[in-house]
Amino acid sequence: MPEVRVVNLTKKFDNITAVDNVTLTIHDQEYFSLLGPSGCGKTTLLRLIAGLIEPTSGEIYIGNKLVNDMPPEDRDVGFVFQTFALFPHMTAWNNVIYGPKVKGFDMAEATTVGHEVLEMVKLHERLDAYPSELSGGMMQRVAVARALAAGAQLLLMDEALGQLDAKVRNEIRYEIRKMAKDLKLTGIHVTHDQSEAMAISDRIAVMRKGKILQIGTPQELYMKPESIFVAHFIGESNFLEGYVVGKTEDGNVLIELREDTKVEALNGSFSEDTQVVLSMRPETLIVEPGLEEGNNVLSGTVERITFEGANIRYEIRLDNEEMIVAVKPTLSGDWLKVGERTKVFLPVDYTHVFPYPEAGLKEELSVA
Ligand SMILES: Nc1ncnc2c1ncn2[C@@H]1O[C@H](COP(=O)(O)OP(=O)(O)OP(=O)(O)O)[C@@H](O)[C@H]1O
Ligand SMILES: [Mg+2]
């Protein structure tokens, strides 16, 4: 049930910096996710915590103990791999008591532990089954049981749901969270699937290129993204380029978009002439042909409509030629038609303004 703390942790492989000066605290009994695109360093960070590889620099603490020099088997960490890595020729039971046996427990002791953990993960009735006879969810529970039997209090899961099909995955992700909570474990879950991380995590660290960009609850990351990348990677956002041309009495900024289109946006901390990116979530936009002209009301033409079930997605070509995406609940009213003229209102409270990225907006939005 330990707290995990990494301080200024760096891991280099030759000229690749896989983990770049990461500082992070995962609370006792927290269910925490590392989220980021392929190659951003998630697995490397997990392997560093588990002790499977050594850091280039920095410290790792588990339960307040510096563990840099501690071998993996003494860290009380259970690693659940993407493939679950069960021994295919062994029954669930033998997979589970493998750890205690290797650790030198006598048979009576190993048996007691084995029964305990299989009870915990509710797989007792299947202890004679081979992995190939179990469902994905069951295999995962065996993998967790095996980790627990070996003494794990910290559960590290690397894309542990990756092998399962979407429907099963959706069901199991809550189970594993619940199991970790019931057993009072600390869990670190690695995924590149933002909806999975959002659904099950107490908090999430969003990683990119070896660095942590932002740590927060799912709601914080969604409502208050601190970078273009986080706004883009978590959920969906519109991004419009512009320049700051003034301030409003409320302390907001006035931004000039393409073709002289001016909008007011939250955040007064940018000085005049700064190049910025304005961002808004698609569901915050109000799309109605009959809206009156006014502040933050733009005109455009519906270019494409996608029916998504619960929502309708409108791609609207604004009169300044920029494209904006708006999402409305299907039940919220009449559908617009392709080619129809409409107004789009950008509520100031849901706008975000970011400095224009050095490498350009396109590069910033590339998921790597
Ligand atoms: N043993 C290694 N030797 C050399 N380079 C490595 C090694 N392990 C990882 N890397 C590199 O470190 C970077 C981070 O890799 P890592 O496996 O941690 O990414 P990841 O976020 O887990 O990606 P994915 O989502 O694809 O699993 C990558 O550029 C990878 O090629
Ligand atoms: Mg990985």
Side-chain angles (χ1 to χ4, degrees), residues 13 16 18 37-44 159:
F13 297 106
I16 296 172
S38 187
C40 72
K42 306 177 296 289
T43 295
T44 304
E159 304 273 2

Side-chain angles (χ1 to χ4, degrees), residues 16-132:
I16 296 172
T17 306
V19 171
D20 193 356
N21 199 26
V22 164
T23 294
L24 165 72
T25 301
I26 295 152
H27 306 308
D28 178 30
Q29 296 181 37
E30 186 169 36
Y31 202 84
F32 193 93
S33 289
L34 297 173
L35 172 68
S38 187
C40 72
K42 306 177 296 289
T43 295
T44 304
L45 181 50
L46 217 56
R47 293 175 75 211
L48 286 165
I49 294 170
L52 302 174
I53 49 173
E54 281 186 22
T56 306
S57 59
E59 290 101 54
I60 304 163
Y61 298 86
I62 299 179
N64 272 328
K65 217 183 292 165
L66 182 67
V67 298
N68 281 44
D69 295 326
M70 190 187 275
E73 59 272 20
D74 294 339
R75 295 191 187 189
D76 292 340
V77 161
F79 208 116
V80 180
F81 298 89
Q82 178 164 21
T83 52
F84 310 137
L86 298 176
F87 301 117
H89 58 288
M90 287 186 194
T91 60
W93 173 254
N94 283 321
N95 265 283
V96 167
I97 61 165
Y98 179 80
K101 280 210 265 185
V102 169
K103 281 201 159 184
F105 288 22
D106 65 34
M107 201 51 210
E109 213 176 344
T111 304
T112 310
V113 173
H115 282 298
E116 259 175 32
V117 297
L118 279 166
E119 201 70 53
M120 283 181 200
V121 302
K122 305 197 168 48
L123 257 183
H124 219 256
E125 67 284 8
R126 298 306 302 274
L127 48 84
D128 290 328
Y130 287 88
S132 61

Side-chain angles (χ1 to χ4, degrees), residues 243-256 262-274 295 348 353:
Y243 285 88
V244 173
V245 291
K247 284 206 171 171
T248 67
E249 285 176 2
D250 300 337
N252 292 331
V253 277
L254 273 177
I255 298 172
E256 186 174 306
K262 288 197 185 58
V263 293
E264 180 183 340
L266 224 49
N267 191 333
S269 64
F270 292 95
S271 52
E272 215 153 304
D273 291 336
T274 311
N295 260 354
V348 177
V353 187

Side-chain angles (χ1 to χ4, degrees), residues 102-361:
V102 169
K103 281 201 159 184
F105 288 22
D106 65 34
M107 201 51 210
E109 213 176 344
T111 304
T112 310
V113 173
H115 282 298
E116 259 175 32
V117 297
L118 279 166
E119 201 70 53
M120 283 181 200
V121 302
K122 305 197 168 48
L123 257 183
H124 219 256
E125 67 284 8
R126 298 306 302 274
L127 48 84
D128 290 328
Y130 287 88
S132 61
E133 299 167 337
L134 297 171
S135 73
M138 289 172 179
M139 279 196 270
Q140 188 194 45
R141 278 186 275 160
V142 175
V144 171
R146 186 174 60 173
L148 295 176
Q153 306 213 307
L154 171 62
L155 213 48
L156 306 180
M157 287 156 293
D158 192 0
E159 304 273 2
L161 306 178
Q163 296 286 86
L164 309 173
D165 73 64
K167 201 109 196 158
V168 178
R169 210 180 148 113
N170 282 355
E171 284 166 23
I172 289 175
R173 61 193 190 187
Y174 297 107
E175 271 182 37
I176 184 142
R177 178 196 155 89
K178 185 173 183 304
M179 193 158 64
K181 290 283 174 191
D182 289 348
L183 301 175
K184 300 192 186 324
L185 305 171
T186 303
I188 309 181
H189 183 109
V190 161
T191 180
H192 61 265
D193 179 342
Q194 56 99 14
S195 64
E196 180 173 302
M198 296 280 278
I200 58 174
S201 312
D202 295 318
R203 287 188 308 151
I204 300 169
V206 181
M207 289 185 72
R208 188 189 200 197
K209 296 179 179 164
K211 290 190 190 313
I212 290 184
L213 294 189
Q214 191 174 350
I215 301 173
T217 63
Q219 292 84 345
E220 281 164 356
L221 294 175
Y222 192 85
M223 300 304 289
K224 293 193 165 47
E226 288 166 4
S227 60
I228 291 173
F229 185 78
V230 172
H232 179 58
F233 199 68
I234 305 248
E236 189 184 3
S237 294
N238 288 293
F239 297 101
L240 302 175
E241 302 179 19
Y243 285 88
V244 173
V245 291
K247 284 206 171 171
T248 67
E249 285 176 2
D250 300 337
N252 292 331
V253 277
L254 273 177
I255 298 172
E256 186 174 306
L257 306 174
R258 234 196 260 184
E259 298 288 325
D260 252 3
T261 310
K262 288 197 185 58
V263 293
E264 180 183 340
L266 224 49
N267 191 333
S269 64
F270 292 95
S271 52
E272 215 153 304
D273 291 336
T274 311
Q275 192 179 10
V276 292
V277 174
L278 169 70
S279 124
M280 298 134 301
R281 298 286 186 192
E283 73 277 16
T284 64
L285 303 178
I286 307 213
V287 180
E288 271 177 40
L291 283 177
E292 279 186 31
E293 303 268 346
N295 260 354
N296 286 18
V297 176
L298 310 179
S299 299
T301 305
V302 178
E303 200 164 287
R304 187 192 291 181
I305 301 176
T306 314
F307 177 55
E308 296 177 333
N311 294 311
I312 307 170
R313 181 187 162 87
Y314 294 108
E315 286 166 62
I316 297 164
R317 179 74 63 186
L318 298 175
D319 289 351
N320 71 358
E321 289 297 314
E322 293 210 81
M323 193 68 137
I324 204 164
V325 174
V327 167
K328 287 181 83 169
T330 301
L331 298 181
S332 70
D334 295 336
W335 291 31
L336 301 177
K337 295 184 186 64
V338 171
E340 193 173 342
R341 295 283 298 160
T342 187
K343 296 272 192 334
V344 182
F345 173 55
L346 285 44
V348 177
D349 282 350
Y350 296 118
T351 56
H352 301 278
V353 187
F354 302 107
Y356 192 83
E358 254 169 52
L361 183 56

